[in-house]
Amino acid sequence: MPVVCKHSERMKKFKNKGKDAAALRRQRVEVNIELRKAKKDEQILKRRSILLRLMDESVSLGEDKSNEIELSLEEIVEAVNGSNTKLQLQATQATRRMLSRQKDPPINQIIELGIIPRLVEFLTRADNASLQFEAAWALTNIASGTSNHTKAVVEGGAIAAFISLLSSPHMHISEQSVWALGNIAGDGPLYRDALINCNVIPPLLALVSPVTPVGFLRNITWTLSNLCRNKNPYPPLDAVRKMLPVLICLLEHEDKDIISDSCWAVSYLTDGSNDRIQIVVDTGILKRLVELMASPELIVMTPALRAIGNVVTGTDEQTQAAIDAGVLAVLPHLLRHAKPTIQKEAAWTLSNIAAGPCQQIQQLITCGLLPPLVELLDKGDFKAQKEAVWAVANFTTGGTVEQVVELVHSGVLKPLLNLLLAKDSKTILVILDTISNIFLAAEKLGETERLCLLVEELDGLEKIEALQTHDNNMVYRAALNIIEKYFSGEENPDLQPGTSEDGLYDFSVEKQDFNF
Amino acid sequence: MELSDANLQTLTEYLKKTLDPDPAIRRPAEKFLESVEGSQNYPLLLLTLLEKSQENVIKVCASVTFKNYIKRNWRIVGILVEDEPNKICESDRIAIKANIVPLMLSSPEQIQKQLSDAISIIGREDFPQKWPDLLTEMVNRFQSGDFHVINGVLRTAHSLFKRYRHEFKSNELWTEIKLVLDAFALPLTNLFKATIELCSTHANDASALKVLFSSLILIAKLFYSLNFQDLPEFFEDNMETWMTNFHSLLTLDNKLLQTDDEEEAGLLELLKSQICDNAALYAQKYDEEFQPYLPRFVTAIWNLLVTTGQEVKYDLLVSNAIQFLASVCERPHYKHLFEDQNTLTSICEKVIVPNMEFRAADEEAFEDNSEEYIRRDLEGSDIDTRRRAACDLVRGLCKFFEGPVTGIFSGYVNSMLQEYAKNPSVNWKHKDAAIYLVTSLASKAQTQKHGITQANELVNLTEFFVNHIQPDLKSASVNEFPVLKADGIKYIMIFRNQVSKEQLLVSIPLLINHLQAESIVVHTYAAHALERLFTMRGTNNTTLITAAEMAPFVEVLLTNLFKALTLPGSSENEYIMKAIMRSFSLLQESIIPYIPSVITQLTQKLLAVSKNPSKPHFNHYMFESICLSIRITCKANPDAVGSFEEALFMVFTEILQNDVQEFIPYVFQVMSLLLEMHKNEIPSSYMALFPHLLQPVLWERTGNIPPLVRLLQAYLERGANTIASAAADKIPGLLGVFQKLIASKANDHQGFYLLNSIIEHMPPESVDQYRKQIFILLFQRLQNSKTTKFIKSFLVFINLYCIKYGALALQEIFDSIQPKMFGMVLEKIIIPEIQKVSGQVEKKICAVGITKILTECPPMMDTEYTKLWTPLLQALIGLFELPEDDTIPDEEHFIDIEDTPGYQTAFSQLAFAGKKEHDPVGQMVNNPRIHLAQSLHKLSTACPGRVPSMLSTSLNAEALQYLQGYLQAASVTLL
């Protein structure tokens, strides 16, 4: 299904989300290139079938199924370009049907027929609702393809036509337009802003009312979320300000798909610089988001967690707002969640809270986050373990000596040292830095020797020693540093050869003027 | 250089000469080649030669020269470093890249390897941007069907891609990997499938199989590299293909691929080993996706282990395979794969126990390569061994199944012990395995310093010790079943903290007895065990085993230790020497009766090893032992120092004369110790040596500086007057040493040590003429390159000077160098920096010195310096009130060589030659705060009213409060 492409594209983008934002607080360099497969989430598959069913219903509303006629491409071109309204409808319907088929919709062939401008023209045929609807549907599916496909629709002049159809007296036409606009907005920041500039937001928001059917509202929410999405550039601030109040209402809806998509929207809005985060924080929505993080529904929990995860990449105050909203009470469950991606996101969120000042670290301790963190480090999925390592690293960087002691007492060393066997250079390096941090704390307490023994007992010493032959330069140097500093006695300060005079020591000096 | 036959001929000649064993011919040829490196066409000439030369030796030589040329020059550093221009012109670069791949592929293996290396060096710089067609060129060769060519491509690809295993994730790296995946992953997969097909069609053709399996190994390695950073979409989609085939390769066997060699791993083993690594990679990083395949791999790997033999060639495979199981069995969600009692029993019986057995190879090492055996067994450098892997698996299984595993093994241990009891001389290996099993089962955490620190509570260690370890060690013959003796001794050593003190005391005579064992491992273990027992701590930071408890064994212990050094193979055994040192330190004065014999033996040993020092640890402990002998003896009888000098000086002279560099720093330290033992004026034997100690050549070696400074300090302490009277002409040389040291940022503190001793001990008139120059020199360093370390030392020195010569003298000499100098030093150095001074004695010196400046220096009261008076006082109070450093308790007995600073570097400090901290103001001033109060009181009596008014105008409130405290404590008031 073409629609699915659009959704999976979206999922692909969200996979990268948190990572970029993390750089703000954690200063972590992540890549934009993915080697991984973009995962098709269950949520997306379900939504597709729902949407399909809805479509079929509206189809059956509009016409008689026995009317379906198979036409060749040539016949379609002829009919669409002709002036016979009946044939126009038949051809448009046939086109729509082809574009809706399960496998390999012939989007390219349809575009090559050059009929898009005609289809766009049909959108304006207020006299013929069926034709308007079929054209809208066909264009929706074309726009759901690749970027080039969407481009063909936009360049056919569809934006203005769809926006005016939002106010169509026929609900199914208006709904189809919402969908089409969602696909266009989802293509990227360029078309998203083109829509915003054509003033898509007011008529779209006007469709939201207490009596809007749930299915329609789902579509609207989804389109809104696409209007919030993407960076470089971000959506204009005044557009965001217009949409936010409605999104916040939608977050209170009882339908989980609507909640999910509005959460996604908020997660996109928080995925940016601190002033973007601030706009969301100011709405006072964090408490609701934290509540939704604890939802049993994966499709709700996932974007809510992501939104909160983004918020804590912000300033200390913004992070504090999330803490005040109760994020620390929910995280333990999420760190122990069965799904690795949730574990990972939760650990990522925690790592950014641990990057805060020691007061926030203290709250993290008080709220009992250390045991689940250590558990995750020990037994979690590798992706989650990596994030947990970051959390521990940040903790040891910003924590007080007492807090680091608390961390060590909670048993962090064993799983941390075990992860030195991880097949990931960066993780190893972060662990080595963390170990150095813990040693610094031990030095301040005069407990270096005890820590040395502990590290050795936990088989950490031999792992660090083995890393001295690691192929990665930074890893091997970090390992060497720890060994030299803590496990082979202090360095003798007198290693460097002295600046030799001329070899003969005659004691004499020239006087000069001194001024210190 | 043109691409001409003449040039090819010339180059051939020179290449030939670079192979000449005579350096007179070889060197100029190498020089010549280097000189023409920058010429255009040079690399192309080399490529032509390696392809077309008639002589094979020239071909190979050209290929090596080419590779080294690429290695040195391909990377363009010229952008950063101007004088390193790009030596390879662009047209040559293009030509090389265009020709090297086909050339590599058509070359014989020896040359292929060199060119493959060269390609990966070029690739590292140019791939992918500047060498876009490399991948396509390589991939196209996969279709050639010629596996010689294919293996060349695979090898090159491996050397290009293997960095993906260790580099950090970055946009650049991942862009490259993505590009490689797009071009390479599918062809590689197809090649993999095709190769496996071919393996079955050629199942009866040994030579074809060898080539095909070499390809499979490379393919498996490439799989590892390409999957390392993250799980690529392609490989996730094709996991079925790869994993199914990997799985079936794991279970494959073919007689034609089995090798006769017992040591060297064959192709089959290498391939399976790499597949274990691949499976472990997926299990660790991509668990979610790999889960469906994992149980199959566990079963396959386990079956592999059950069917693989004991030969050394399987070691890597077996330890990799066991490590895979060990890492999986610890995961909560795979627990169920192991939890069944039958499974556990079978793993214990068929995987763990067989791999713990003492093998013929171990026996060989035990007898013939004991040093290596000890290193592996004792120091834990056994990471890749089967025993170690089996041990890790035991620990992994114990995470969830400690009870059942302990139960299963108890049964095995008992039956193995019964087997042994039936016929010890035949079945002794069973007991060895039993002991090893108990050890690995019982030990949960271990350190070198303390042995086992956490034990499995389900194992009764004492019972096993009494019933099975002690009997072996009590047996009449120390040479029977040496492996079991070594096992027993090791058991005591590692479980020393779990066994009671009584048991340890019972063991001590047994251990002493085993110092006589012929087996190197056994007597070494005995010495090591004793040494470790002697370092155990009891209550109150004393040793657990006391000198009194050792009294009955002193003679036999010393006798056996020194006798052990005469056993074959142990003449420089560091474990024995360390045990000697530790015994001396523990036994203290009870060794005195044996010193005459001991020192003779040590001296002889010293003489012998100084011919060719080769065991640094042994030598170090030997000198430590000598120091201990001297200290312990002279403490009881100071006059004995003469007899030590008599015994040692001859060897020392020889060491100095022969310039045995490794030993000279030690000799200086021992001499310092001896000299410091003298109570009276310095003996003439030392004075004769004095001029030699000032020789520049000695001071050029960094390792000599600390001990030599220490020695000169001892000379000054004991013989300042003698030097002033009998060696006054050497004073400039002495100060020259000081100047040499002060010129170096690294050694300036040593220079200050020396200078402080000169000021403190030399009669003032003997250094009078040099004083001004000393200060000028110091000011120069201060002005040109001051460091915190220098400032700290400088502050201590000027205050010491002030104490010795008076505050007025200090002011006068400063101001004689440059007007107002004194004020400048006070204002810019002393007042702002004094808080940096660390160390109790150092702080005290500064406190007393500054007190003198404040109270005994008239210019401070009535010149422009007066404005500095209160700030200086405030700085002094700050110095007093800084938190004190915690003093380190005297723990020198416990000092390990690994803990002493600078070991293995040029300077090897002897812990037992240690010098007591010297406090030059100790007699004069006890409490510097009280001293300040009293001095201020005295000053205020001399000029009533002045002091209180200066205090009240500018001293801050907090400082004033402290000061009032001092005044109260001293019961004085200011007038």
Side-chain angles (χ1 to χ4, degrees), chain B residues 523-621:
Chain B
H523 65 244
T524 301
Y525 278 23
H528 188 47
L530 284 166
E531 196 273 333
R532 291 287 88 190
L533 258 47
F534 292 165
T535 51
M536 290 173 73
R537 283 171 201 254
T539 44
N540 302 330
N541 217 14
T542 55
T543 53
L544 179 74
I545 293 164
T546 64
E549 284 161 338
M550 286 302 295
F553 311 118
V554 174
E555 181 164 359
V556 61
L557 171 65
L558 295 180
T559 311
N560 285 2
L561 279 169
F562 279 98
K563 257 180 25 201
L565 286 176
T566 63
L567 291 170
S570 277
S571 65
E572 293 179 42
N573 185 317
E574 65 182 68
Y575 291 95
I576 299 173
M577 194 43 100
K578 194 175 183 186
I580 291 175
M581 172 193 83
R582 203 67 76 187
S583 303
F584 285 5
S585 175
L586 176 73
L587 299 172
Q588 292 290 331
E589 60 274 10
S590 37
I591 63 166
I592 294 177
Y594 310 97
I595 286 294
S597 134
V598 157
I599 203 72
T600 314
Q601 297 187 64
L602 285 172
T603 318
Q604 279 165 0
K605 193 51 94 178
L606 175 59
L607 193 63
V609 296
S610 66
K611 303 275 184 278
N612 177 24
S614 52
K615 294 274 167 66
H617 282 90
F618 176 86
N619 300 334
H620 187 96
Y621 296 132

Side-chain angles (χ1 to χ4, degrees), chain B residues 389 392 489 734 799 866 901:
Chain B
D392 287 347
I489 296 170
L734 183 64
N799 282 298
T866 312

Side-chain angles (χ1 to χ4, degrees), chain B residues 788-826:
Chain B
T788 305
K789 176 161 77 97
F790 182 87
I791 288 174
K792 281 158 76 172
S793 304
F794 174 76
L795 287 170
V796 173
F797 166 69
I798 57 173
N799 282 298
L800 183 75
Y801 186 93
C802 175
I803 294 168
K804 177 88 183 172
Y805 288 92
L808 193 59
L810 186 72
Q811 179 263 322
E812 282 171 359
I813 198 165
F814 277 23
D815 285 349
S816 75
I817 290 168
Q818 187 176 304
K820 295 180 191 158
M821 186 73 162
F822 185 64
M824 181 160 72
V825 174
L826 276 180

Side-chain angles (χ1 to χ4, degrees), chain A residues 66-81:
Chain A
S66 59
N67 258 356
E68 289 181 8
I69 297 162
E70 286 289 325
L71 293 175
S72 72
L73 292 177
E74 291 75 24
E75 289 167 326
I76 287 176
V77 176
E78 203 184 317
V80 165
N81 289 330

Side-chain angles (χ1 to χ4, degrees), chain A residues 30 86 474:
Chain A
E30 285 288 4
K86 197 168 171 234
M474 288 175 73

Side-chain angles (χ1 to χ4, degrees), chain A residues 361-435:
Chain A
I361 292 179
Q362 193 54 45
Q363 281 181 291
L364 180 160
I365 296 172
T366 315
C367 292
L369 268 296
L370 292 186
L373 176 63
V374 170
E375 242 171 75
L376 188 67
L377 212 52
D378 188 21
K379 301 187 185 120
D381 179 78
F382 184 67
K383 293 185 288 287
Q385 285 176 322
K386 273 206 296 198
E387 296 297 336
V389 165
W390 275 106
V392 174
N394 289 345
F395 188 108
T396 58
T397 307
T400 64
V401 171
E402 293 71 29
Q403 288 168 342
V404 173
V405 168
E406 182 98 35
L407 180 71
V408 171
H409 284 166
S410 65
V412 78
L413 277 178
K414 190 172 176 57
L416 192 68
L417 291 166
N418 279 343
L419 280 171
L420 285 174
L421 297 175
K423 296 179 202 309
D424 182 84
S425 306
K426 187 75 192 181
T427 303
I428 296 173
L429 185 66
V430 175
I431 296 174
L432 291 174
D433 287 346
T434 308
I435 294 169

